[in-house]
Amino acid sequence: MTMMERAAEEPQVTYKRVLLKISGEALMGDQGYGLHPPTVARIAQEVKSVHDLGVEICMVIGGGNIFRGLAGSAQGMERTTADYMGMLATVMNALAMQSALEALDIHTRVISAIPMDQVCEPYIRRRAVRHLEKARVVIFAAGTGNPYFTTDTAATLRANEMTCQAIFKGTKVDGVYDKDPKKHADAKRYDVVSYDEVLQKHLGVMDASAIALARDNNLPIIVFSLDEPGGFRGILAGRGTYTLVKG
């Protein structure tokens, strides 16, 4: 195969730098708690397939599979302490994903908003941008480093700081619906929905702070199914089923 033919076979990607946001629960597989290594490895393979297209990728992973600050607070734990525990859970998930990506020969950096130099790098914006420019996958951990902010808000903040062209929100369903498709057979999926409509109808894409921050900076959010093999790569190549949230 000639170089020209090989280039013709490669799909033309829509975005050159993106942030992938997934929940901690996405790493559980069919378990009720913790990490499921085969599931982590499968998601890492999805990331690699996009990285192989030359797309610069950063990630934010939630911590709900290990500890959720809001749930701890609801059970009587002091909210700030509970939120910091949740942030530490995201570091554990980030390290697990880093290990899975490096097993695929993808250079990866975990960058934490809470300094813990023995296990990951502290957050320095210019350094993080440089990692992306060097084709390293960057995983942002510990949220924003502040209590009362979710990893959704952290994802939107980091995506803006890294000048990402879009946020990809990997979920259990293939987009945003007007009601829960697992409970309602007549649920309708949106192809495109506005930030304001997401907020007004409480569509549950991300929390209100994250949506408002994306809207204020005109940052599109693409909601897709992380369970669909090749879905992440397909959307970047202009295929697949998803919902686009934009202005």
Side-chain angles (χ1 to χ4, degrees):
M1 183 183 293
T2 67
M3 188 175 295
M4 189 173 296
E5 287 171 333
R6 193 177 298 115
E9 281 194 354
E10 280 295 311
Q12 296 298 308
V13 295
T14 313
Y15 303 104
K16 294 296 185 182
R17 180 180 294 175
V18 301
L19 184 141
L20 174 63
K21 167 64 172 68
I22 61 176
S23 67
E25 287 87 347
L27 306 184
M28 292 191 309
D30 294 329
Q31 302 174 158
Y33 177 83
L35 289 156
H36 183 237
T39 299
V40 178
R42 179 183 62 78
I43 295 172
Q45 189 64 57
E46 293 285 321
V47 174
K48 180 183 186 301
S49 71
V50 171
H51 184 270
D52 288 346
L53 294 175
V55 178
E56 296 172 358
I57 306 168
C58 46
M59 299 178 68
V60 170
I61 307 172
N65 57 318
I66 298 172
F67 188 87
R68 188 178 293 279
L70 201 56
S73 177
Q75 295 177 30
M77 188 176 290
E78 193 269 324
R79 174 65 188 271
T80 302
T81 299
D83 279 357
Y84 278 123
M85 290 173 67
M87 290 180 219
L88 294 176
T90 71
V91 177
M92 295 171 69
N93 285 339
L95 291 173
M97 183 58 64
Q98 179 185 42
S99 177
L101 286 166
E102 289 181 341
L104 299 172
D105 295 323
I106 302 295
H107 294 292
T108 308
R109 296 291 185 274
V110 173
I111 297 181
S112 171
I114 299 175
M116 46 186 83
D117 295 345
Q118 288 169 308
V119 295
C120 51
E121 295 183 12
Y123 177 69
I124 299 171
R125 188 185 68 84
R126 287 180 180 272
R127 183 185 291 176
V129 170
R130 187 67 180 134
H131 286 320
L132 289 173
E133 290 171 347
K134 289 183 175 181
R136 296 165 182 157
V137 172
V138 174
I139 307 174
F140 294 111
T144 66
N146 302 288
Y148 296 95
F149 289 92
T150 67
T151 51
D152 280 345
T153 302
T156 312
L157 174 64
R158 297 295 184 233
N160 280 304
E161 289 179 305
M162 296 299 107
T163 61
C164 291
Q165 295 168 297
I167 295 176
F168 279 71
K169 175 75 182 287
T171 69
K172 291 286 186 184
V173 293
D174 59 356
V176 180
Y177 287 77
D178 59 354
K179 46 192 161 184
D180 190 342
K182 294 182 179 178
K183 296 179 181 177
H184 304 275
D186 62 341
K188 295 181 180 178
R189 186 180 59 80
Y190 295 92
D191 287 325
V192 181
V193 64
S194 70
Y195 303 112
D196 289 337
E197 198 170 356
V198 167
L199 292 171
Q200 290 163 7
K201 295 184 177 179
H202 305 286
L203 294 177
V205 177
M206 288 178 157
D207 66 71
S209 297
I211 294 295
L213 184 57
R215 179 191 61 192
D216 293 347
N217 292 278
N218 199 29
L219 178 67
I221 302 167
I222 294 166
V223 183
F224 72 106
S225 173
L226 199 63
D227 292 337
E228 181 68 30
F232 187 21
R233 179 186 172 102
I235 293 167
L236 276 156
R239 304 185 302 270
T241 304
Y242 58 90
T243 297
L244 174 62
V245 183
K246 64 176 187 175

